[in-house]
Amino acid sequence: MTVHQPPYPASGGAVPPLELPYYGAPPVEAVKRVFQKYAVFSGRASRSEYWWWFLASALASAVLNSIGPTVVNGQPTGTSGLGGLWFLATVVPGLAVAARRLHDVNLSGWLLLLAVIPVLGWIALIVMLAQPENPRGQRFDRYPAAYGQMPSPPTYTPPQPPQPPQPPYRREPGGPPSE
């Protein structure tokens, strides 16, 4: 596997800026970055950032839902008020980190809409989220030129209207050109 950005050391080393994906992110740093970029759908997220977030969120949801399940008509529902609050607090950052993960694979974040298709959409989405990074995904970065990732796009200069022909200059021998 080719890594296009060097992995950063987990202990005391340099951490990439929030605008860049953190390849090889440790679990605590990955979860922290998701909350720091709470509703940021632009940019990219590494596989480790996404999957550590997914695992931490699933574990927290399981624990919070098992604390005190809501009872409806004498039957426990499997969810609790705390689990519902956790869902409401994490649905936006969860969607944002998934969209950034798709950007790192060079796919559109709109592919998250596949989640509305039962089973087949979920499987397709999991496969896409598990793909390795693609250097072409840098097109989704907000400031790629600031970090030397990609050259800035060429600026467009409109074509100039044709100029009328100039009369030929006559030059006298040994003197300056005359008009």
Side-chain angles (χ1 to χ4, degrees):
M1 174 177 92
T2 304
V3 176
H4 304 285
Q5 177 179 332
Y8 292 88
S11 59
V15 175
L18 285 176
E19 292 83 18
L20 295 177
Y22 189 170
Y23 296 109
V28 174
E29 186 65 32
V31 172
K32 201 169 23 170
R33 287 173 70 91
V34 169
F35 279 116
Q36 287 173 337
K37 296 164 71 169
Y38 192 88
V40 177
F41 287 81
S42 63
R44 297 175 293 146
S46 67
R47 263 194 296 196
S48 58
E49 282 180 81
Y50 176 76
W51 288 109
W52 282 124
W53 162 254
F54 182 84
L55 179 64
S57 180
L59 288 174
S61 180
V63 168
L64 291 173
N65 282 322
S66 68
I67 288 176
T70 306
V71 178
V72 177
N73 295 331
Q75 298 292 325
T77 62
T79 62
S80 69
L82 290 175
L85 287 175
W86 174 257
F87 172 77
L88 289 175
T90 60
V91 68
V92 172
L95 290 172
V97 74
R100 291 192 310 268
R101 177 68 200 124
L102 288 173
H103 291 170
D104 194 41
V105 181
N106 194 29
L107 296 172
S108 172
W110 287 102
L111 287 172
L112 287 174
L113 291 174
L114 287 174
V116 300
I117 302 172
V119 184
L120 293 178
W122 303 337
I123 292 170
L125 197 53
I126 289 171
V127 168
M128 286 185 263
L129 291 168
Q131 295 295 313
E133 67 274 1
N134 185 338
R136 292 183 179 164
Q138 293 175 356
R139 69 187 175 111
F140 292 102
D141 288 348
R142 182 172 282 175
Y143 307 109
Y147 298 100
Q149 295 174 1
M150 290 176 51
S152 59
T155 57
Y156 174 74
T157 54
Q160 299 296 322
Q163 300 293 324
Q166 299 292 327
Y169 290 97
R170 289 191 344 194
R171 184 173 236 211
E172 295 184 24
S178 63
E179 294 183 23

